Amino acid sequence: MTQHSRDMSRRRLLFGGAAVGAGVLLAGCTSNETKPTEAQTKAAAAPGGNNEPGKRVVIGFSAPAADHGWIAAITNNAKAQAGTYSDVEFKSVEAGADAAAQRAALSTLISQKPDVIVLLPHDGKELNAFGLEAMKAGVPVVNLDRAFPDARAYRLQIKGDNYGMGVAAATYMIEQFKAKGVSNPVIAEIAGMDELELTQERSKGFLDTLTASGFKVANRRAARFTADSGQQEAAQLLQALPKIDALWNHDDDQGIGVLAAVNQSGRKEFFMVGGAGSKKAMEDIQADNTVLKATVTYSPSMASSAISLARLIGQGRGMSDLVELQVPKEIILASETITKENAGDYLKLGF
């Protein structure tokens, strides 16, 4: 473990990942149902503790629009979780096409005086000023996933462990190399959007872990978290590397395109690790009929947890299993490795 990750572990509370052609490619995307899952319903109905009804709380919510995939699951999970509580009113505002449009919509939301705002920003750095504005106005902000750089801009920050995703992907690869007796592997990487800090953190965790074992990345390309961009970047990567031992693709949504490019190439000499934990990826891993052999989680279940914690913040309550009287300042959800052996356990969390 690096000094960076040790420091992060000391400062933050970590929970497990379950804390509370275009036409062809998009066929792999998941449904948009917003009804509560069995786990959400059971959690809200459990007697005692934080689930007892309290003060009515109005929760404002904003996240980038999407009709499929991880981002859609974030909004769907948030709506479904809010629906499990009789004391929560959920107000969602459109995020628009970019950070400026989202900022304008959120300013309107502040004027409506919600008790708490849950926000997945287009870009954490660009929306940091809004977080500061809301907090100054007395509206606590739950910063979801894409982090604000200023701790004064949020009451709670909850996100996945991006650095840990890279560590988990590299650790799985290293174990496979040892088991297969591969001493000088050719390793490739298809990242997400390079301008986002979360992508940079994922790549750093991946490279740090590989370097510690004497390995390196032979070719790295950046896609855009979409199936089309994944297919395009994968096709170019496969042309650049005549032989590959392992490939890490950061995102299972764009992984649909990556697998399409792999299938078109007919290449089968390597194994692939995905990222995020989509239902489609887990099903492919279970079926064991593609190069995809594992994925590392970055679960949109964090949106469900964000709503539950926003409710507690609005009610002035802490988490019933903790001694402290208030909700923690920062929570990072651990990145877990899903393989053929345990995929069945994680399917209920797939998006």
Side-chain angles (χ1 to χ4, degrees), residues 212-295:
S213 292
F215 300 136
K216 63 182 180 180
V217 176
N219 194 305
R220 179 187 183 278
R221 307 192 68 86
R224 305 294 298 173
F225 292 138
T226 64
D228 287 345
S229 66
Q231 184 171 12
Q232 179 180 346
E233 296 300 330
Q236 295 180 22
L237 184 145
L238 291 167
Q239 288 180 347
L241 294 176
K243 178 184 179 298
I244 302 174
D245 290 290
L247 165 64
W248 182 35
N249 163 60
H250 285 208
D251 179 77
D252 288 334
D253 281 341
Q254 74 184 26
I256 296 169
V258 173
L259 281 177
V262 172
N263 291 337
Q264 287 174 359
S265 73
R267 301 271 292 272
K268 296 180 180 180
E269 82 277 7
F270 61 91
F271 67 89
M272 175 172 138
V273 179
S278 75
K279 184 178 180 181
K280 177 68 166 58
M282 293 184 209
E283 290 171 345
D284 285 345
I285 290 167
Q286 274 190 316
D288 197 20
N289 56 10
T290 73
V291 296
L292 182 63
K293 303 303 179 186
T295 189

Side-chain angles (χ1 to χ4, degrees), residues 1-6 8-9 14 161-175 177 189 198-213 215 248 250 273-275 295-298 334-337:
M1 178 180 286
T2 65
Q3 184 63 42
H4 167 83
S5 56
R6 282 195 293 270
M8 295 280 279
S9 297
L14 273 76
D161 186 359
N162 288 294
Y163 185 88
M165 282 183 75
V167 172
T171 299
Y172 176 82
M173 285 186 178
I174 292 166
E175 291 172 351
F177 298 149
E189 177 184 5
L198 64 87
T199 297
Q200 298 161 22
E201 290 177 352
R202 291 176 186 184
S203 286
K204 188 175 190 307
F206 188 57
L207 184 59
D208 284 352
T209 307
L210 290 175
T211 301
S213 292
F215 300 136
W248 182 35
H250 285 208
V273 179
T295 189
V296 291
T297 62
Y298 195 87
S335 184
E336 303 168 49
T337 304

Side-chain angles (χ1 to χ4, degrees), residues 7-340:
D7 290 344
M8 295 280 279
S9 297
R10 293 190 190 103
R11 298 202 310 267
R12 295 181 171 95
L13 178 65
L14 273 76
F15 284 75
V20 201
V24 174
L25 299 181
L26 294 182
C29 298
T30 54
S31 70
N32 302 313
E33 295 180 4
T34 58
K35 64 182 181 180
T37 64
E38 181 181 357
Q40 288 170 325
T41 302
K42 284 183 177 179
N50 294 145
N51 299 311
E52 293 296 331
K55 167 193 166 187
R56 185 165 182 79
V57 176
V58 178
I59 299 177
F61 177 83
S62 179
D67 60 3
H68 69 278
W70 192 91
I71 288 287
I74 283 285
T75 298
N76 293 341
N77 284 346
K79 287 180 181 177
Q81 190 71 12
T84 65
Y85 296 116
S86 61
D87 52 13
V88 168
E89 180 181 349
F90 185 81
K91 287 189 174 182
S92 179
V93 297
E94 296 294 331
D98 53 28
Q102 189 174 26
R103 172 71 186 268
L106 287 165
S107 294
T108 301
L109 183 61
I110 285 184
S111 68
Q112 299 175 16
K113 301 187 184 304
D115 295 292
V116 189
I117 290 175
V118 176
L119 168 62
L120 194 161
H122 273 286
D123 184 290
K125 291 179 181 178
E126 293 189 36
L127 269 296
N128 185 77
F130 167 78
L132 291 169
E133 176 189 344
M135 292 289 289
K136 187 176 181 180
V139 181
V141 175
V142 176
N143 176 206
L144 179 60
D145 182 41
R146 297 174 185 174
F148 294 149
D150 190 336
R152 297 172 301 164
Y154 56 85
R155 166 59 186 82
L156 164 66
Q157 188 175 85
I158 178 169
K159 61 181 183 176
D161 186 359
N162 288 294
Y163 185 88
M165 282 183 75
V167 172
T171 299
Y172 176 82
M173 285 186 178
I174 292 166
E175 291 172 351
Q176 296 303 305
F177 298 149
K178 289 181 179 178
K180 297 175 181 179
V182 178
S183 59
N184 189 27
V186 177
I187 302 169
E189 177 184 5
I190 299 180
M193 298 166 64
D194 257 347
E195 66 269 28
L196 296 179
E197 185 178 3
L198 64 87
T199 297
Q200 298 161 22
E201 290 177 352
R202 291 176 186 184
S203 286
K204 188 175 190 307
F206 188 57
L207 184 59
D208 284 352
T209 307
L210 290 175
T211 301
S213 292
F215 300 136
K216 63 182 180 180
V217 176
N219 194 305
R220 179 187 183 278
R221 307 192 68 86
R224 305 294 298 173
F225 292 138
T226 64
D228 287 345
S229 66
Q231 184 171 12
Q232 179 180 346
E233 296 300 330
Q236 295 180 22
L237 184 145
L238 291 167
Q239 288 180 347
L241 294 176
K243 178 184 179 298
I244 302 174
D245 290 290
L247 165 64
W248 182 35
N249 163 60
H250 285 208
D251 179 77
D252 288 334
D253 281 341
Q254 74 184 26
I256 296 169
V258 173
L259 281 177
V262 172
N263 291 337
Q264 287 174 359
S265 73
R267 301 271 292 272
K268 296 180 180 180
E269 82 277 7
F270 61 91
F271 67 89
M272 175 172 138
V273 179
S278 75
K279 184 178 180 181
K280 177 68 166 58
M282 293 184 209
E283 290 171 345
D284 285 345
I285 290 167
Q286 274 190 316
D288 197 20
N289 56 10
T290 73
V291 296
L292 182 63
K293 303 303 179 186
T295 189
V296 291
T297 62
Y298 195 87
S299 177
S301 66
M302 68 177 75
S304 304
S305 298
I307 295 296
S308 294
L309 294 168
R311 169 179 172 265
L312 295 180
I313 291 169
Q315 294 173 341
R317 293 199 280 175
M319 298 168 68
S320 59
D321 288 337
L322 300 184
V323 174
E324 289 74 23
L325 300 180
Q326 297 294 323
V327 169
K329 174 74 171 176
E330 296 181 337
I331 296 176
I332 297 181
L333 309 181
S335 184
E336 303 168 49
T337 304
I338 300 174
T339 64
K340 182 180 179 180

